[in-house]
Amino acid sequence: MPARRMRGQRAGLTRQAVLEAGLALVDREGLQALSMRSLGSELGVEAMTLYNHVSNKDALLDGLVEQIIVSVAPPRLEASTWRAGLRDFAHAFLAALLAHPNVIPLVVSRPATTSLNLRVMESALESLRAAGFPVHRALDVLYSVTGFVVGHAATMTVQHASGQEAHDRPELLLEVDAEEFPLLSAAMRASPPAGAQNRFDFALEAMLTGFEATRTSAQEPCRTAPEARR
C-alpha cells in the first residue's frame, strides 16, 4: 500500500491524473463508490490534496463527463465531409459510452460545460458553419446527434444489465398472433432482426439526411417578400 501523504506532498499529481483515476474507479466499482476520500486512497494521497486540482465533488463529476467527450471530440471537418465527420463522431461516442457504462448517468444528467468541453463544441460549431449550417442550426445538429447517441447507449446498457439481447428478443415478437397483429407479424418475418447496431446506423443516416436538407435550405439566397409571393 502506498505511503499516506499530506496535502501537496504528491509530486507530479495533475488534474488529468485525478480525472483518469476517478474514471478508472467508477469503471471498476460504480458511481456510488466515488468520493474524494476513496479517490484520494486510489491515488495514495489525502483527500484534501485533490482540492488542489478539482474544486469540489461537482467539479470532479463534470471532469469525468469531460473525459468521455474529449476522447471522441468531433473532428474539424474541413478534411472530410461534414456527414462523414458526424458519422465517425457518433460511432466513436457510442463506443466510448458503452466502454464506460457507469458514467452514462453522469453524461445524461450533467451538461458538458467544462472549459475543455466548451472548446470542443466551439471547434465543432466552426466546422459545421464552414460546411454551410447557420450557427444556431449547427448547435441543433450537435445536440441532436449527442442526445441520440446517449439515449441509444443508455438503452443498450439497461438491456444488457437486465439480461436482454441487443436485438430486443425478437423471438418473442415472432410468436405474436398474425391475425391480431398483422403488420407487426409481417414486419418481423420480412427480414432478419435488425439488431441494435443496425437500427442505430439506420436512424443516424436518417438524421444526417435531414440535416442535409436543412443545410441546403440555409444556403439558398434570401428573397425579398414581394419575390417570395410570386
Side-chain angles (χ1 to χ4, degrees):
M1 178 180 295
R4 306 289 292 178
R5 296 174 173 85
M6 297 302 291
R7 178 175 176 152
Q9 287 186 325
R10 170 68 184 270
L13 189 61
T14 63
R15 176 179 180 272
Q16 181 61 29
V18 169
L19 296 181
E20 289 177 357
L23 184 60
L25 178 60
V26 170
D27 283 344
R28 187 175 70 247
E29 300 182 26
L31 275 172
Q32 73 283 351
L34 180 65
S35 67
M36 301 302 272
R37 178 173 296 181
S38 64
L39 183 54
S41 178
E42 182 89 353
L43 288 164
V45 300
E46 297 290 345
M48 290 300 296
T49 301
L50 302 180
Y51 291 99
N52 292 326
H53 308 284
V54 289
S55 57
N56 51 42
K57 178 72 174 293
D58 283 339
L60 173 61
L61 297 178
D62 288 341
L64 297 189
V65 175
E66 176 189 288
Q67 292 297 288
I68 302 299
I69 300 296
V70 172
S71 71
V72 292
R76 297 182 63 84
L77 305 179
E78 288 86 354
S80 179
T81 67
W82 67 269
R83 287 184 68 134
L86 284 177
R87 185 184 298 112
D88 290 346
F89 164 67
H91 282 281
F93 191 23
L94 179 63
L97 289 171
L98 295 179
H100 302 282
N102 291 337
V103 183
I104 291 177
L106 287 181
V107 179
V108 170
S109 62
R110 306 188 74 85
T113 55
T114 67
S115 178
L116 192 52
N117 278 335
L118 294 178
R119 285 198 292 272
V120 167
M121 292 181 66
E122 183 74 9
S123 177
L125 289 175
E126 182 180 352
S127 295
L128 289 169
R129 186 179 64 173
F133 290 94
V135 66
H136 72 283
R137 194 59 68 200
L139 186 60
D140 288 340
V141 167
L142 282 182
Y143 279 141
S144 297
V145 171
T146 55
F148 164 67
V149 174
V150 171
H152 194 83
T155 299
M156 292 181 68
T157 300
V158 169
Q159 289 176 343
H160 179 75
S162 63
Q164 295 185 38
E165 298 296 328
H167 50 54
D168 299 334
R169 304 175 68 186
E171 70 276 5
L172 299 181
L173 292 178
L174 287 172
E175 298 173 0
V176 300
D177 188 326
E179 292 187 2
E180 186 175 1
F181 307 104
L183 297 180
L184 181 57
S185 178
M188 291 302 300
R189 288 173 169 77
S191 61
Q197 186 61 54
N198 287 337
R199 283 194 301 276
F200 177 85
D201 292 338
F202 169 77
L204 177 61
E205 291 305 317
M207 291 178 70
L208 295 178
T209 297
F211 296 153
E212 173 64 40
T214 299
R215 185 183 73 94
T216 301
S217 175
Q219 289 181 319
E220 292 176 354
C222 295
R223 296 180 296 175
T224 62
E227 291 174 332
R229 289 194 296 267
R230 291 177 186 173

